[in-house]
Amino acid sequence: MRKIYALIFFCFTTSLAFAQHLISGTIKDNNGQPIPFTSVYLKNTTTGTSANVDGKYEMKLKRGQQTISFRAVGYKQQDHIVNLDRDITLNITLASESYTLDNVNIRANAEDPAYEIIRKTIAQRKTHLEEVKAFSCDVYIKGVQRLKGAPKKFFGRDIQKTLELDTNRKGIIYLSESQSKFSFRRPNDVHEEMISSKVAGRNNAFSFNKASDLIINFYDNYLLENTLSSRGFISPIADNALFYYKYKLLGESTENGQLIHKIEVSPRRVNDPVFRGIIYIMDESWRIYNTDLYLTKQAGINFIDTLNINQQFTKVKDVYMPTGINFQFTGNVLGFKIAGYYLGVYSNYNVNPNFPKNLFTGEILKVTEMVNKKDSLYWVENRPIPLTADEKINYIKKDSVAKLKESKHYLDSLEKDNNKFSIGKLILRGYSQNDRYDKHSLSFDPVWRAIFYNTVEGLAIKYGVTYRQEYENRRFYSIRPEVRYGFANQKLTGSITGNYFYDPLKRASYGGSFGNGIFDLNNLGSMTPLGNTINSLLYEKNFPKYYYKDFVSLYTTRELATGLQANLSADYSHNKALANNSTFKFFDAKDREFTSNNPFVPEAEVPLFPDYSSLSVTASLTYTIGQKYITRPDGKFYTESKYPKITLLYKKGLNNVLGSDVDYDFVKAEIFEDRIGLGLWGHTSFLVGVGKFLNNAKMYYPDFKHFSGNISTIFPPNLRKFQYLDFYQFSTKEQYFEAHLEHNFAGFFMNKIPLLRKLKLEELVGGGYLSSPEKRNYKEFYFGIQRLVLRASYGFAYDGAKKINQGFRISYGF
C-alpha cells in the first residue's frame, strides 16, 4: 500500500512540475495602438512566439517563476518576471525606442559616422555568414493574403461569389499555418519535415509554407535572385554596398548590455536594385541585430508594389540567430488590390546538432500523410499565435463550405450549372463535362483552334476529345481520341492516345497511341497551324511540309533515383510521302508561288522518300545535377536546380523486324542549364548538344536528326530554337554539334534611362551555332528587349563568314 501511495505522490508531484499555464495579453504602444508581430520569448532563450497582427499573444510555459522579454523593432525591449501558478493575463505597453546621438560627434561637411560602422560590418560580413556551420530549430509559419479591393467581374465571373468576399469585395483569400522541424548545414544543405498543416477551405490540401523560402540572409551579397526580379537585390552590407547605398546614423541605444546603432539606408540612385529602411548593427561585434527594410517598384520588383522584411535576432550561445521573420507585401494586379504577410517564428535552436547520417539528401521538405489531418483541438492547443477575429471566421466559414462542397448533392448542383452547353463556349473555350465527385471529366477542344489550312490538305479540321479519371494522390489516366479531315485531299485520319500516371512518388507513367495521321516532316515541329494558315492564305507562303503515317507507339517513364529520369519507347509506323492538293489563297502574290511539299525540290511534286515501314526503340536518361525536391503523399515535386541537366539518348532502327525497312543507330548527349544567376548582371541560359549516327545503313528523311528552326517573324520562344534556320534543309543522318547561349541583363542598362526604366524592360543577347555535314559553321546572333512573356529582337545569321539572313523577331511565352 505504501508503494501505491508513493507512486501516486510521485505522479502528482511530477505532473505539477511539468504542468503548463497560459500567459496571454495584448501589446500596445503609448497611444494605445496594438503593436503587431511583437516577439515574446523567455529571456536568454529561443523559446517563444509572436503577437498577431492585432498585438495579441499567448504562450504556454511551465509553472514557476519566468522572465519574459517583449521586443519589437522601433520599441524599447521590456522584461517581465512572472510567477506562473495559474493562467494569467499580462497586457504590455512598449515605449518607442529613443536612439540618441549624445556620444557621437558630427562635424560639418564630415562623413556620417554610419559609414564607418557599415565598413566594419562589411569587413565582418563573410565571418558572420559562415560562423554557424549547422543548426536545427522549430518553425511555425503563418501566411495570410487579403483582397483590399477587386473589380466586380473578371472574364465574366462574379468576383464576390468566386472568391467568397464581402459585399465590398474585400476579405481573406488565403489563410494557412504550418509547423515544421527545420535543419540546415552549410553550405546549402536543407531538410524540413512538416509536422502539421492547415489551409482555410481546403481540408485535404497541404500548405505551401516552406521555412527555407522565408530565410533571407543579409550577410549574402545578393538576395531574392530570380524571384521578384530577374536579378537580385544588393544587401546593405554587401561587399560593394557603399557604391549603391547612402547611410545615416539615426542614433544609438543599449539593449541587453549591447550598444545598438540605428542606421537609415537609402539608394544613391533612386532606381538601383537596393533596399530602403532601417538596419540595426551591434557595436564591437558588428552583427545585424534587427532589420526593417523594404523594396518598392523603384527597385525593380515585379507583381507587387512593396515588400517589407522585418527580422529580429536573438543570441544563441555565442552567435545570433533570427527568431522572427516577417514578409509584408502590397500590390495591385489588374484591379485586384492585395495585401498580406508571411510570418515565421523560429524557436528551440540547436547550433551544434548531431544530424543523422542520411538526413540531407535531395529532399528539402517532407510532408507525410497525417500532416493535414490535425483537428481543431490540436490547433487550439498548439497554435503559437492567436487567430484574429476575422481569421477565426474565415476558418469556420471556409472549412464549412469546403465540407459542403465535398458532398455529392452540392457537386451535382454545381456541375449542373457549370456543365451547361453553349455554342459560344464550345467555339471559343471548348466544352467540358465534369463530375468532381467521381473525379472524372470529358473535355471537347475549342472549335476555332481545330480549323486550319495547308496546301496538302486544304481547309482541314483536327478535333479531339479528352477523358480523364483522377484517383487519390494525383494518380490519373486519360484517353484521347482524335480525328482529322482535309477537304482538298479528302483524307480522314484518326488516332487514340492513352496515358496512366500511376506512381507520383516515382514520377512514373506509361501509355501509348495508335492510328494514322498527317505529321510534320520535322519531328520538332515547324510552324503552328494558325501561323501557317495566316502565311498561306495571306502571303502565299506554305512553309511546313507533311507526310502520312499509320503508327503504333508505346512508352514508359520512371524515376530511377533522385534527379534521374528514365524513358523507354517503341514506335512502329508505315510512312508515305504526300503532295500538295490545294493552291487556294486570299491574295495572289505575283512574285511568289506555293512551293511543293518536298522541301528539296520546291518547283515540282517529287516524292521525298518511297513508302516504307519503320520500327525503332528509344532509351534515354535525363539527370539533373543537385536536384532538390519536395515529397508529399500526392507526389514528388522537383524544384529548380542551380546545376545543369544532362540527357543521354540512344535510338535504334530495327531492320527486318515486323517488316521494318530501316537500319540505324543514333546516340545523343545534351547539357542544359536555365537561368544561371549572375547577380546584378542578370542571368544566363545555355544548351549544348552533340550527336552521331553510328550506323546509317538504311534511313529515310523522317528518321533523320532534325533541328528546331524558324523563319517566322512571330514565334513561341525556346532556347533550343534557331531563329533564322530553315526547318528542313539541314537535317542530318551523320553527326552534328549545336550550341545555344542567351543572356538576360535584367534591366541593367535600361534601368539607367529615365524615360524607359518605368517600362521594366530587360535587355537580352543571344546566339546559336550548328555544324554538321549539311551545314558547317552556321551562326546566328541577336539582341533585343523583353517584358515578362513578350520579347522583340533583331539578329543576323551567317553561313561561315557569309551573312545569309537578318531581321526582326517577335516571340511570346503564353
Side-chain angles (χ1 to χ4, degrees), residues 23 41-43 61 64-70 78-84 88 90 92:
I23 179 170
Y41 277 79
L42 279 179
K43 189 173 178 63
L61 297 172
Q65 184 171 291
Q66 308 279 6
T67 301
I68 303 174
S69 296
F70 297 85
Q78 282 190 28
D79 296 339
H80 287 264
I81 300 175
V82 295
N83 189 14
L84 288 173
I88 65 171
L90 179 63
I92 300 297

Side-chain angles (χ1 to χ4, degrees), residues 502-620:
Y502 65 92
D503 189 345
L505 291 177
K506 291 297 183 181
R507 301 164 64 87
S509 63
Y510 57 80
S513 59
F514 68 92
N516 51 28
I518 294 176
F519 296 86
D520 199 309
L521 283 171
N522 186 328
N523 63 353
L524 296 178
S526 53
M527 296 185 72
T528 65
L530 177 61
N532 181 51
T533 299
I534 294 172
N535 274 282
S536 298
L537 295 179
L538 299 183
Y539 304 107
E540 205 170 347
K541 295 180 178 180
N542 58 329
F543 295 122
K545 308 302 176 184
Y546 301 97
Y547 76 108
Y548 170 89
K549 70 176 180 179
D550 301 292
F551 65 91
V552 176
S553 297
L554 300 172
Y555 81 89
T556 183
T557 179
R558 185 180 180 86
E559 182 187 68
L560 302 182
T562 297
L564 180 62
Q565 194 79 15
N567 298 275
L568 181 65
S569 63
D571 299 274
Y572 178 83
S573 64
H574 184 71
N575 310 291
K576 296 180 180 180
L578 296 176
N580 287 338
N581 290 283
S582 175
T583 58
F584 179 81
K585 60 266 185 184
F586 291 153
F587 304 102
D588 188 7
K590 295 182 179 179
D591 59 341
R592 190 180 304 124
E593 294 289 341
F594 284 131
T595 59
S596 76
N597 194 51
N598 185 331
F600 299 94
V601 187
E603 300 84 10
E605 292 292 351
V606 179
L608 179 59
F609 54 86
D611 293 358
Y612 76 99
S613 296
S614 170
L615 175 62
S616 64
V617 177
T618 305
S620 69

Side-chain angles (χ1 to χ4, degrees), residues 465-507:
V465 178
T466 303
Y467 176 82
R468 180 183 174 105
Q469 174 68 63
E470 297 184 3
Y471 301 101
E472 294 297 325
N473 294 333
R474 294 178 59 248
R475 293 183 301 114
F476 73 90
Y477 75 84
S478 64
I479 298 175
R480 177 179 171 82
E482 188 176 88
V483 295
R484 178 169 179 156
Y485 182 75
F487 289 89
N489 66 343
Q490 297 183 350
K491 186 73 173 178
L492 175 67
T493 60
S495 64
I496 295 180
T497 302
N499 174 53
Y500 180 36
F501 187 63
Y502 65 92
D503 189 345
L505 291 177
K506 291 297 183 181
R507 301 164 64 87

Side-chain angles (χ1 to χ4, degrees), residues 340-364:
Y341 66 86
Y342 279 84
L343 174 66
V345 178
Y346 294 74
S347 60
N348 302 321
Y349 272 102
N350 180 359
V351 293
N352 295 302
N354 184 17
F355 293 128
K357 184 177 180 180
N358 297 318
L359 179 66
F360 296 106
T361 59
E363 183 183 60
I364 60 174

Side-chain angles (χ1 to χ4, degrees), residues 367-564:
V367 183
T368 57
E369 186 76 41
M370 298 305 295
V371 159
N372 61 353
K373 303 295 189 295
K374 312 290 187 183
D375 59 19
S376 57
L377 180 61
Y378 170 88
W379 283 101
V380 169
E381 292 293 324
N382 292 277
R383 177 181 288 119
I385 301 177
L387 298 175
T388 63
D390 63 341
E391 289 168 357
K392 291 179 182 177
I393 294 172
N394 189 261
Y395 266 136
I396 294 171
K397 179 181 176 181
K398 287 191 174 178
D399 288 352
S400 299
V401 172
K403 290 181 180 179
L404 173 64
K405 287 181 176 179
E406 292 173 358
S407 69
K408 190 175 190 310
H409 175 75
Y410 177 87
L411 290 174
D412 286 347
S413 63
L414 181 68
E415 302 301 5
K416 184 178 180 180
D417 184 54
N418 291 340
N419 291 339
K420 285 183 179 178
F421 176 81
S422 72
I423 293 296
K425 184 188 293 186
L426 179 64
I427 292 174
L428 298 177
R429 294 185 302 170
Y431 171 68
S432 294
Q433 190 78 26
N434 295 302
D435 186 335
R436 299 187 193 183
Y437 186 80
D438 291 324
K439 298 182 179 180
H440 60 75
S441 64
L442 188 64
S443 301
F444 296 81
D445 291 351
V447 172
W448 75 269
R449 280 178 20 193
I451 302 173
F452 55 91
Y453 174 85
N454 61 60
T455 52
V456 170
E457 300 171 276
L459 179 65
I461 183 168
K462 179 183 178 182
Y463 197 78
V465 178
T466 303
Y467 176 82
R468 180 183 174 105
Q469 174 68 63
E470 297 184 3
Y471 301 101
E472 294 297 325
N473 294 333
R474 294 178 59 248
R475 293 183 301 114
F476 73 90
Y477 75 84
S478 64
I479 298 175
R480 177 179 171 82
E482 188 176 88
V483 295
R484 178 169 179 156
Y485 182 75
F487 289 89
N489 66 343
Q490 297 183 350
K491 186 73 173 178
L492 175 67
T493 60
S495 64
I496 295 180
T497 302
N499 174 53
Y500 180 36
F501 187 63
Y502 65 92
D503 189 345
L505 291 177
K506 291 297 183 181
R507 301 164 64 87
S509 63
Y510 57 80
S513 59
F514 68 92
N516 51 28
I518 294 176
F519 296 86
D520 199 309
L521 283 171
N522 186 328
N523 63 353
L524 296 178
S526 53
M527 296 185 72
T528 65
L530 177 61
N532 181 51
T533 299
I534 294 172
N535 274 282
S536 298
L537 295 179
L538 299 183
Y539 304 107
E540 205 170 347
K541 295 180 178 180
N542 58 329
F543 295 122
K545 308 302 176 184
Y546 301 97
Y547 76 108
Y548 170 89
K549 70 176 180 179
D550 301 292
F551 65 91
V552 176
S553 297
L554 300 172
Y555 81 89
T556 183
T557 179
R558 185 180 180 86
E559 182 187 68
L560 302 182
T562 297
L564 180 62

Side-chain angles (χ1 to χ4, degrees), residues 182-202:
F182 182 73
S183 302
F184 171 84
R185 184 177 65 189
R186 190 160 293 284
N188 56 9
D189 288 333
V190 167
H191 186 267
E192 179 180 0
E193 183 164 355
M194 190 173 287
I195 298 168
S196 59
S197 168
K198 184 173 178 62
V199 183
R202 300 178 64 192

